[in-house]
Amino acid sequence: VINYQRVLAESAIGRDMAAKLQQVRSQVQTEAQALAPESQSIEQEAQRLQGTLRNRSAEQIRADPQAQALAQRQQQLQQRAAVLQGDMECTQILTLREFDRVVTPVVRSVMESRGAGIVLDANSAQLTLPEFDITGAVIQALDGNQATRASNVTRHSVSECQQQAPQQAPAQ
């Protein structure tokens, strides 16, 4: 068995990856905070319009050019915020995929050296004996190899994950 969460938390590559993801998260949060003035402006405009459109029907409000412009601004702001959130989620997904790509050969090597035919995540196993836990050996092997001590984390746009999703769907 292997505790992947522990490998992620304790290995040099896992710690490096977490630090770099935090940098991307900070960058995305800074960009999200930059949307605050636009959000405040929209809120103020909405309050102003509420007073002028108070006695109109829903159809008249929908037809009002100012209400339409405000709705468009709100939609654009929501889209920008969603893109930022999607960028962060996509970055995390692709970074974890890369982590798995690096860790899997090490896990396979430790597994084969111990004569095991299968490795289970410790979270999937109900009960195991400590001598069957390869987590420490995997962390040691990762940390002992300069090539597996650092991760390559770059920001990815949500469109990258959206482009990959159809390719991963099962053929029918």
Side-chain angles (χ1 to χ4, degrees), residues 16 34 45 73 118 120 133 150 157:
D16 182 63
E45 179 68 12
R73 283 178 61 200
I118 189 170
L120 298 174
D133 187 341
S157 74

PDB file of all heavy atoms in Angstrom, residues 16 34 45 73 118 120 133 150 157:
ATOM      1  N   ASP A  16       7.480  21.087  -3.240  1.00  0.00           N
ATOM      2  CA  ASP A  16       7.803  22.055  -4.291  1.00  0.00           C
ATOM      3  C   ASP A  16       6.555  22.374  -5.108  1.00  0.00           C
ATOM      4  O   ASP A  16       6.267  23.540  -5.398  1.00  0.00           O
ATOM      5  CB  ASP A  16       8.912  21.493  -5.188  1.00  0.00           C
ATOM      6  CG  ASP A  16       9.335  22.475  -6.269  1.00  0.00           C
ATOM      7  OD1 ASP A  16       9.833  23.557  -5.916  1.00  0.00           O
ATOM      8  OD2 ASP A  16       9.158  22.146  -7.459  1.00  0.00           O
ATOM      9  N   ALA A  34      -8.590  42.381  -8.545  1.00  0.00           N
ATOM     10  CA  ALA A  34      -8.596  43.495  -9.495  1.00  0.00           C
ATOM     11  C   ALA A  34      -9.984  43.686 -10.113  1.00  0.00           C
ATOM     12  O   ALA A  34     -10.269  44.741 -10.685  1.00  0.00           O
ATOM     13  CB  ALA A  34      -7.555  43.271 -10.586  1.00  0.00           C
ATOM     14  N   GLU A  45     -24.376  50.947  -9.916  1.00  0.00           N
ATOM     15  CA  GLU A  45     -25.262  51.177 -11.072  1.00  0.00           C
ATOM     16  C   GLU A  45     -26.585  50.437 -10.883  1.00  0.00           C
ATOM     17  O   GLU A  45     -27.650  50.970 -11.204  1.00  0.00           O
ATOM     18  CB  GLU A  45     -24.567  50.733 -12.359  1.00  0.00           C
ATOM     19  CG  GLU A  45     -25.400  50.902 -13.610  1.00  0.00           C
ATOM     20  CD  GLU A  45     -25.668  52.364 -13.991  1.00  0.00           C
ATOM     21  OE1 GLU A  45     -25.045  53.270 -13.427  1.00  0.00           O
ATOM     22  OE2 GLU A  45     -26.532  52.585 -14.858  1.00  0.00           O
ATOM     23  N   ARG A  73     -22.684  43.945 -18.523  1.00  0.00           N
ATOM     24  CA  ARG A  73     -21.502  44.139 -17.676  1.00  0.00           C
ATOM     25  C   ARG A  73     -21.433  43.064 -16.586  1.00  0.00           C
ATOM     26  O   ARG A  73     -20.349  42.534 -16.300  1.00  0.00           O
ATOM     27  CB  ARG A  73     -21.531  45.529 -17.020  1.00  0.00           C
ATOM     28  CG  ARG A  73     -21.153  46.657 -17.949  1.00  0.00           C
ATOM     29  CD  ARG A  73     -21.231  48.014 -17.269  1.00  0.00           C
ATOM     30  NE  ARG A  73     -20.318  48.118 -16.139  1.00  0.00           N
ATOM     31  CZ  ARG A  73     -20.455  49.004 -15.160  1.00  0.00           C
ATOM     32  NH1 ARG A  73     -21.464  49.863 -15.156  1.00  0.00           N
ATOM     33  NH2 ARG A  73     -19.578  49.051 -14.172  1.00  0.00           N
ATOM     34  N   ILE A 118       0.617  -5.657  -7.059  1.00  0.00           N
ATOM     35  CA  ILE A 118      -0.400  -4.608  -7.053  1.00  0.00           C
ATOM     36  C   ILE A 118      -0.062  -3.604  -5.957  1.00  0.00           C
ATOM     37  O   ILE A 118       0.516  -3.962  -4.937  1.00  0.00           O
ATOM     38  CB  ILE A 118      -1.816  -5.204  -6.838  1.00  0.00           C
ATOM     39  CG1 ILE A 118      -2.895  -4.156  -7.038  1.00  0.00           C
ATOM     40  CG2 ILE A 118      -1.929  -5.859  -5.466  1.00  0.00           C
ATOM     41  CD1 ILE A 118      -4.314  -4.737  -7.069  1.00  0.00           C
ATOM     42  N   LEU A 120      -2.062  -0.525  -3.768  1.00  0.00           N
ATOM     43  CA  LEU A 120      -3.323   0.140  -3.455  1.00  0.00           C
ATOM     44  C   LEU A 120      -3.041   1.413  -2.690  1.00  0.00           C
ATOM     45  O   LEU A 120      -2.102   1.472  -1.891  1.00  0.00           O
ATOM     46  CB  LEU A 120      -4.202  -0.757  -2.566  1.00  0.00           C
ATOM     47  CG  LEU A 120      -4.657  -2.088  -3.137  1.00  0.00           C
ATOM     48  CD1 LEU A 120      -5.377  -2.892  -2.066  1.00  0.00           C
ATOM     49  CD2 LEU A 120      -5.565  -1.853  -4.326  1.00  0.00           C
ATOM     50  N   ASP A 133       3.600  -1.277   3.706  1.00  0.00           N
ATOM     51  CA  ASP A 133       3.469   0.138   3.357  1.00  0.00           C
ATOM     52  C   ASP A 133       4.772   0.608   2.699  1.00  0.00           C
ATOM     53  O   ASP A 133       5.833   0.586   3.311  1.00  0.00           O
ATOM     54  CB  ASP A 133       3.192   0.966   4.615  1.00  0.00           C
ATOM     55  CG  ASP A 133       2.873   2.421   4.299  1.00  0.00           C
ATOM     56  OD1 ASP A 133       3.201   2.898   3.195  1.00  0.00           O
ATOM     57  OD2 ASP A 133       2.300   3.077   5.175  1.00  0.00           O
ATOM     58  N   ALA A 150      11.972  18.308  -7.894  1.00  0.00           N
ATOM     59  CA  ALA A 150      11.291  19.568  -8.208  1.00  0.00           C
ATOM     60  C   ALA A 150      10.205  19.317  -9.248  1.00  0.00           C
ATOM     61  O   ALA A 150      10.313  18.413 -10.067  1.00  0.00           O
ATOM     62  CB  ALA A 150      12.288  20.595  -8.727  1.00  0.00           C
ATOM     63  N   SER A 157      -4.624  27.602 -18.755  1.00  0.00           N
ATOM     64  CA  SER A 157      -5.942  28.213 -18.924  1.00  0.00           C
ATOM     65  C   SER A 157      -7.014  27.129 -18.915  1.00  0.00           C
ATOM     66  O   SER A 157      -6.752  25.978 -19.259  1.00  0.00           O
ATOM     67  CB  SER A 157      -6.013  29.006 -20.229  1.00  0.00           C
ATOM     68  OG  SER A 157      -6.086  28.130 -21.327  1.00  0.00           O
TER      69      SER A 157
END
